[in-house]
Amino acid sequence: MPRRFLNVALLLAAWCFGPGAQAADALPSWNDGAAKARIVAFVQAVTEPGGKDFVPPAERIAVFDNDGTLWAEQPAYFQALFIRDRIQALAPKHPEWKTQEPYASLLKGDLKAVLAGGEKALLQLAMATHAGMSTDEFRQIVSDWIATARHPKTGRLYTEMTYAPMRELLDYLRANAFKTWIVSGGGIEFMRPWAERVYGVPPEQVIGSSIQTKYELRNGQPVLVRLPALNFIDDKAGKPVGIQQHIGRRPIAAFGNSDGDFEMLAWTTGGPGARLGVIVHHDDAEREYAYDRKSHIGKLDRGLNEAGARGWTVVSMKGDWKTVFAPPR
Amino acid sequence: MPRRFLNVALLLAAWCFGPGAQAADALPSWNDGAAKARIVAFVQAVTEPGGKDFVPPAERIAVFDNDGTLWAEQPAYFQALFIRDRIQALAPKHPEWKTQEPYASLLKGDLKAVLAGGEKALLQLAMATHAGMSTDEFRQIVSDWIATARHPKTGRLYTEMTYAPMRELLDYLRANAFKTWIVSGGGIEFMRPWAERVYGVPPEQVIGSSIQTKYELRNGQPVLVRLPALNFIDDKAGKPVGIQQHIGRRPIAAFGNSDGDFEMLAWTTGGPGARLGVIVHHDDAEREYAYDRKSHIGKLDRGLNEAGARGWTVVSMKGDWKTVFAPPR
C-alpha cells in the first residue's frame, strides 16, 4: 500500500476505533461542553498506550455514589421509601405498630413525627424491615419491590429514575477497560439485586452500608441470617475505608453529588498520576430537582466551595445533560 | 460442505476447543484419578451451553482458602513467621521489648512461652506489627518481606511454596470464565500485595481477616491508618459471612484444607445445581507435610468424616499431585 494511503488508513482507523472518537459517540446524552470534554480527555489520557498518564487496565478503578449520582434521591432516599412501603406491607402482622412509635406515625403518614424521633427511630424502622430474614429472602423482597414500586412524584419505576448520562458513562468507562464500582451510603444488599441489570455493575462491585449477618443452619441447610445490628456505615470518611476493604486499590476516578462523597473524591484524586473527580450538581428544577447547600438530602456545600481548587469537575444537570432519566432497562 | 464432513469438523472442533479437551491438558501437575476427573467433569458440566447444569459466567464463582490450600502452612502460618521477622526487625527501636512479654520470649526464640500467653499475646504481636502505619506503608512492608524472606525448612521464598496443581486449577477455572477468589483466615492486606502476581487473583478478589482502618489527613494528604483493633475474622462461620459481604453471591465451587473451611464448603455446596467442594489433604510427609486430625495448624477432622456423605472430593497430595511446589513466578 502506498505510504500516503497507509497514513490515511491509519488516521481513519484511529478516528473510527481510537478511544477519542469512540468517546464522543459513547456519551450522546451529554451536551458538548467543559464537563464532557474533561471526562473524555481523562479517559483518553489513561488509556493511551505509551502515554505519560497511561494506567494499566487492572488499575482503572472508577467509583460511583448511587443516591443522587446514578439515580434520583428526592423527595427522600428511595431506600427510605422502601422502608415506608415495607412497614405498610408488614403492618397487618404487627397490630402493635398502630400505637407504637415510630411505626404509628409512619403508618399515619406523619413523616415529621417520625423524624422527630431522630436517628434512633430511623434505625428502628430500618431494622424492622431489613433484619430477621435470610439474605436470600431479603434479596427476593427487594427484587419484588423494585419491580413494582413507583416514585411518588413521577409515577415511574425507581429504576427508570436512573440517569441516562451516568449509565452511558458507566458503559463508556467499561468499554475502556475500567472496572466500575458503586460506593453508596445505601444498603449493600438493597442495591445488589438490581444493580447488575440496571447499571451493569455485578454484586461483587457494590459497596454500601450493611448490617451484621450470621451463618446458621435452618432444617440442616446453611443460611445467612440478617441481624438487627449495624456492621458498617459507608458514608463520608467511611467511603475510603469501604473502598479499601472491598477493592484494595485506590480508584483513579470518582463520581458523587453530595458532601457525603467528599472524602471519596479527596481519596481518589489525592493519588499520583491522572485523576478524575466529578460532582453531579442538581440544578435542574424543571427536569429533576434543584438543591445543594441547604438540602437535608444530598447536601452539597463544601464540595461546591472546594471543587475548583481541587480540580474537580462540577456537572450541571441543567446545562451538561441532554436528557436526564434513562429509558426502562 | 457435505453433511458428513460437517459432522467430522464439528467433532474435531469440539475436541480441540471444547472445555473437556482443554481441561485435561490444563492440569498437567495432576495425576489422572478420581479427584482430577471430578474437577474436570464439574467444569464441563457448568460450562456446557444448553446443558442441564449450565451456569452463566457471571455466576461462576470459585473460592479458595489460602493457608494449606494454595500455599504451605507448616511449621507455622507464614503470616506468623512474618510477625516474628517484623518483631525482630523492629526490636532495635523498642528496647523495652527485651523485658516485656510476649516480645521478650519471641525475641529469644521461645515460641512455647509466647503460645503460653494465649490469644491475647498473639493478638498483641499481630497489632504491634500490623497496625500504626498507613495502608500504603503496610503494603510496602509486606512486599519487601515477601520478596526476600525464606522458609525455615526449605530455604525457599514463600511464594515458591505455593502449590503448582492449585495454581493450574486457578488458571483452568479462569480460562473457563470463572472468577477466582481467595477466602482466607489470614490478613486481607497481607495477601493482596502479591496475590495478583503469584495467583493471578487481583486485590478486589481477596477476602481475609482485617483490622480497622481510619481515614485521616497527614500533612493535608488523605491516608488510611491501620488501627490496633480487630475488624473481621474470616474463619469458620465467618467465611460465608465474608463471602456474602464481598461477593454477594453464593459460590459454586470451594477449595479448602482444614475444618476452618468447613462452613465455606457447606455454604457453597448447599446451593442448588451443580456444586464442587474440594479438600486438599496433607498426606505427603516426603514432599510436603503430613497432618490432619490432630494438628494444631490446619486441623482436618470433621471435614474428613463428612466429606463422603457431603459429596466433597478429598485430594491426596501424595496420590493426586505429580508435583507439589510451583516454579518461581
Side-chain angles (χ1 to χ4, degrees), chain B residues 5-71:
Chain B
F5 279 101
L6 185 67
N7 286 346
V8 170
L10 284 174
L11 267 174
L12 262 176
W15 189 79
C16 293
F17 303 112
Q22 280 188 315
D25 298 328
L27 301 173
S29 297
W30 291 71
N31 288 316
D32 290 321
K36 180 177 181 174
R38 173 79 185 88
I39 292 167
V40 170
F42 167 79
V43 172
Q44 288 179 331
V46 299
T47 56
E48 190 195 339
K52 74 173 173 54
D53 292 320
F54 179 77
V55 175
E59 294 167 27
R60 292 182 200 158
I61 305 283
V63 287
F64 289 80
D65 170 58
N66 185 41
D67 297 310
T69 299
L70 294 179
W71 73 356

Side-chain angles (χ1 to χ4, degrees), chain A residues 131-154:
Chain A
M133 71 292 281
S134 74
T135 48
D136 284 345
E137 288 162 353
F138 187 69
R139 183 186 306 118
Q140 194 56 53
I141 290 167
V142 173
S143 298
D144 291 346
W145 181 82
I146 203 88
T148 56
R150 291 185 177 268
H151 188 267
K153 183 179 162 189
T154 65

Side-chain angles (χ1 to χ4, degrees), chain B residues 122-187:
Chain B
L122 296 175
L123 204 61
Q124 209 174 336
L125 293 168
M127 293 306 171
T129 50
H130 285 66
M133 70 292 280
S134 75
T135 49
D136 284 346
E137 288 162 353
F138 187 70
R139 182 186 307 118
Q140 195 55 53
I141 290 167
V142 173
S143 298
D144 292 346
W145 181 82
I146 203 87
T148 55
R150 291 185 177 268
H151 187 267
K153 184 179 162 188
T154 66
R156 294 180 183 213
L157 293 176
Y158 291 105
T159 51
E160 292 171 22
M161 295 192 65
T162 54
Y163 303 132
M166 297 306 287
R167 287 190 3 188
E168 286 172 8
L169 199 47
L170 286 165
D171 289 338
Y172 168 52
L173 288 171
R174 287 190 293 257
N176 282 281
F178 276 76
K179 284 178 198 158
T180 52
W181 291 72
I182 292 172
V183 180
S184 170

Side-chain angles (χ1 to χ4, degrees), chain A residues 110 158 224 237 288-289:
Chain A
D110 186 352
Y158 291 105
L224 289 168
E288 207 245 6
Y289 296 90

